[in-house]
Amino acid sequence: MTSFQTRIAGTGHFLPERRLTNHDLEKMVDTNDQWIRERTGIYARRMAEDGIYTSDLAHEAAKIALETAGISARELDMILVATASPDQPMPNTACVLQAKLGAGNCAALDISAACSGFVYGFGIADQFIRTGAMKNILLVGAEILHRFVNYKDRETCILFGDAAGAAVLTRANPGEDSKVYSSHLHANGEIGDLFVLPAGGTKIPISQKVVDEGLQYVRMRGREIFKHAVRTMSDACQEALDKNGMKAGDVAWIIPHQANLRIIEAVAKHFEISMEHVIVELEDTGNTSAATIIVAMDRAIRDGRIKRGQNIMLTAFGAGITSGSLFLRY
Ligand code: UT7
């Protein structure tokens, strides 16, 4: 069977302008700038204005990615939106985005893998392009998480923010050097209760009681997630290296899920790779779940850190507990 290679044709990202800083949070919960900086590396998170939806952020990022790729929305075979904060349960946000882009009648679906969603989506898209089933796929990671955060819960409200990032993935032309080496996707549902958004589904439908109890907001056992995050991301990166017979020294950049600077530093230490080879972009965004990796990647492409031909390792973990890696030559 003929096999094709997947190339990132273009990327883009969009961040809402409104910022919620550590100093703002000091006035809302019992916390302080120094604690948040030292424990997370975050100073500010972005917040979409009222009346702006996840699909709107996705639309802005997608327009930039399509323009950079030189591919029109009508040429897309599929739109994937990785999100934990869709516009609504139905229709999916990818279909809403398809209409906003005027992308015709290509396939459109959401990926629900929380913070691992972009890596999951990339792995899925790669399979369609590799086999020749599809040529152009728009993959977006987009979140408006602040609407699912309880601003009385100091463990979660310091972390999360809103953002969108997009990548246009396409079939590489013969002779082009870009490729996805491999993707490695995992989950451990046995410990799924470490990070949950309890209400809004069939288990706990929304009611006044639910709202009074704040069950429409995310709940997290932070310290335990921290440990799993370091282990699962390290394991997923090692799996990718082993599969391709490479070593950490062959990786130009690791782009881990941007949840917490200390988690990122622990992963780098595990790999004995200098932080100079790690993309860190969370100080002014916070944890934007499915958007973090592609926002960080697009920033690093645009400022020249990431160059064509380099080996890049993406790795993520999130609610589920989902995790994975995607290893590529850019
Ligand atoms: O995308 C996936 C989503 N989730 C994550 O990635 C979360 C991963 N976990 C983390 O990032 C960290 O666990 C947190 C940032 C959430 C917490 O940091 P930590 O270093 O694990 O703190 P801790 O939970 O061990 O708490 C240490 C202390 C506690 O006080 P005591 O018991 O030692 O007196 C907490 O009550 O810090 C206290 N604390 C705070 N203090 C000031 C917890 N949150 C705060 C806060 N401000 N916001």
Side-chain angles (χ1 to χ4, degrees):
M1 194 176 79
T2 314
S3 177
F4 299 93
Q5 292 184 357
T6 302
R7 177 180 197 269
I8 298 178
T11 56
H13 77 273
F14 180 79
L15 298 171
E17 277 188 18
R18 183 158 61 124
R19 283 175 163 78
L20 183 72
T21 68
N22 293 349
H23 292 106
D24 295 328
L25 284 166
E26 282 175 352
K27 295 173 201 145
M28 297 160 71
V29 286
D30 180 17
T31 192
N32 60 79
D33 176 49
Q34 189 187 351
W35 191 96
I36 302 173
R37 277 182 189 274
E38 285 176 4
R39 300 287 181 129
T40 71
I42 298 167
Y43 175 65
R45 312 105 198 108
R46 307 306 178 96
M47 290 173 93
E49 299 291 345
D50 294 349
I52 297 294
Y53 314 126
T54 300
S55 61
D56 294 318
L57 304 192
H59 187 206
E60 294 305 321
K63 283 189 291 185
I64 299 166
L66 285 164
E67 194 185 333
T68 309
I71 288 173
S72 78
R74 289 251 156 210
E75 294 174 88
L76 293 173
D77 299 308
M78 182 155 70
I79 297 172
L80 297 174
V81 174
T83 186
S85 50
D87 285 15
Q88 66 268 312
M90 204 171 62
N92 68 40
T93 305
C95 287
V96 179
L97 176 60
Q98 181 194 48
K100 287 182 177 169
L101 287 169
N105 66 351
C106 65
L109 75 148
D110 288 2
I111 308 277
S112 176
C115 305
S116 307
F118 188 81
V119 168
Y120 262 67
F122 208 147
I124 292 167
D126 178 48
Q127 301 307 316
F128 278 96
I129 293 174
R130 224 174 242 266
T131 56
M134 291 186 178
K135 195 170 175 201
N136 299 316
I137 298 177
L138 172 65
L139 172 61
V140 182
E143 305 281 9
I144 297 188
L145 281 174
H146 91 262
R147 294 190 188 136
F148 297 96
V149 166
N150 181 354
Y151 285 93
K152 291 181 180 148
D153 173 8
R154 68 178 182 174
E155 252 206 73
T156 52
C157 73
I158 58 161
L159 295 175
F160 298 106
D162 308 340
V168 177
L169 308 176
T170 192
R171 183 188 301 168
N173 289 318
E176 272 180 337
D177 206 22
S178 307
K179 67 188 283 192
V180 170
Y181 291 112
S182 58
S183 57
H184 306 272
L185 309 176
H186 298 286
N188 184 356
E190 303 276 339
I191 50 167
D193 62 348
L194 291 183
F195 186 25
V196 295
L197 202 168
T202 56
K203 187 177 170 187
I204 308 179
I206 293 293
S207 66
Q208 188 55 52
K209 184 169 176 287
V210 160
V211 173
D212 292 345
E213 290 173 8
L215 295 173
Q216 73 279 32
Y217 298 127
V218 291
R219 292 181 173 197
M220 175 183 89
R221 303 225 297 270
R223 205 179 304 183
E224 285 160 78
I225 291 177
F226 192 114
K227 282 186 243 154
H228 287 288
V230 175
R231 192 176 48 72
T232 56
M233 288 201 288
S234 298
D235 287 352
C237 292
Q238 192 59 53
E239 195 180 355
L241 292 180
D242 292 347
K243 165 89 180 167
N244 296 286
M246 293 203 215
K247 299 189 171 56
D250 297 316
V251 181
W253 295 105
I254 293 187
I255 313 178
H257 171 43
Q258 313 277 305
N260 181 321
L261 179 58
R262 288 187 300 134
I263 294 175
I264 294 172
E265 286 171 343
V267 171
K269 192 173 167 201
H270 185 92
F271 268 100
E272 297 176 350
I273 194 166
S274 143
M275 283 299 286
E276 284 169 17
H277 293 277
V278 183
I279 305 285
V280 180
E281 291 286 335
L282 83 175
E283 189 187 13
D284 69 332
T285 59
N287 177 348
T288 61
S289 186
T292 69
I293 288 178
I294 182 57
V295 169
M297 185 174 197
D298 186 50
R299 282 177 150 185
I301 289 170
R302 287 179 189 279
D303 68 19
R305 275 174 290 171
I306 292 180
K307 298 178 181 61
R308 288 283 177 195
Q310 289 179 331
N311 290 335
I312 315 284
M313 181 77 79
L314 314 182
T315 185
F317 75 97
I321 295 291
T322 55
S323 61
S325 64
L326 187 132
F327 191 27
L328 64 98
R329 184 161 58 221
Y330 176 61

